Amino acid sequence: MSTLQKELARKLVHLFQLPIIFGYTLILSYFSQRTALLSLTGLLLLLLEAEYFRVDYTTDIGNRFTKFFSNIFLRRHEKDRVVSAVFFVISAIISFSVFDYPIALCALLLSTFGDLAAAIFGTAIGGPKIFRNKTIAGSTAGLIVNFGVAFYIL
């Protein structure tokens, strides 16, 4: 698997953040903000429990799942750490709690699509590195996508 294909597979997993955002929106439209935030908190607890089994608790099933998941979607230094989905749900809880819905939605979509575009274009096009293995092409692509998302949402 090439570097671009592996990075593409890793970053496409970030699209699974969209059901979290849309699920919150759906619950918010039928119930209250409190109920929607409680559902995100429940999801966070489930993810933390899954991460506990993945990282600390070794079972035959857990080892098979971890080996498959880790080889495709995680970098070597990420295999023994909490995955980004946990941090995304935490940031969603904080964003939706503190900010008005459009601002929180925009912030979460910026982190999803901006990072996706930056990683794909940075890996595909390459070029000079500007900061910690980040390329000008990737940073520019992320900035352009973020402007587009912000213009559309706000």
Side-chain angles (χ1 to χ4, degrees):
M1 185 179 265
S2 74
T3 305
L4 179 60
Q5 289 173 328
K6 190 162 186 151
E7 191 65 24
L8 195 62
R10 285 186 70 250
K11 293 302 175 178
L12 288 179
V13 170
H14 286 286
L15 293 179
F16 287 110
Q17 295 170 347
L18 295 177
I20 295 169
I21 297 169
F22 294 134
Y24 175 86
T25 303
L26 184 68
I27 294 169
L28 182 64
S29 65
Y30 287 103
F31 301 101
S32 66
Q33 181 184 17
R34 184 180 217 160
T35 305
L37 288 171
L38 188 60
S39 68
L40 282 180
T41 305
L43 176 62
L44 176 62
L45 292 174
L46 288 173
L47 284 172
L48 287 172
E49 188 69 24
E51 282 299 286
Y52 168 73
F53 281 107
R54 185 186 68 81
V55 174
D56 289 337
Y57 191 72
T58 55
T59 63
D60 189 39
I61 294 171
N63 286 337
R64 285 188 215 156
F65 174 75
T66 300
K67 190 178 289 185
F68 169 76
F69 184 75
S70 296
N71 289 337
I72 295 175
F73 299 114
L74 297 177
R75 294 182 182 139
R76 188 175 304 131
H77 67 276
E78 296 172 330
K79 291 182 180 183
D80 295 329
R81 297 182 181 169
V82 177
V83 295
S84 63
V86 172
F87 297 109
F88 182 81
V89 173
I90 292 169
S91 65
I93 291 169
I94 293 169
S95 297
F96 285 127
S97 297
V98 174
F99 300 106
D100 290 336
Y101 178 79
I103 302 297
L105 177 66
C106 186
L108 295 170
L109 291 177
L110 290 177
S111 71
T112 301
F113 291 115
D115 183 51
L116 179 68
I120 291 172
F121 280 91
T123 304
I125 296 171
K129 310 269 193 244
I130 55 174
F131 177 72
R132 280 205 234 163
N133 219 15
K134 308 300 179 198
T135 64
I136 293 173
S139 298
T140 305
L143 184 64
I144 291 169
V145 167
N146 282 340
F147 275 130
V149 169
F151 182 76
Y152 182 74
I153 298 293
L154 300 176

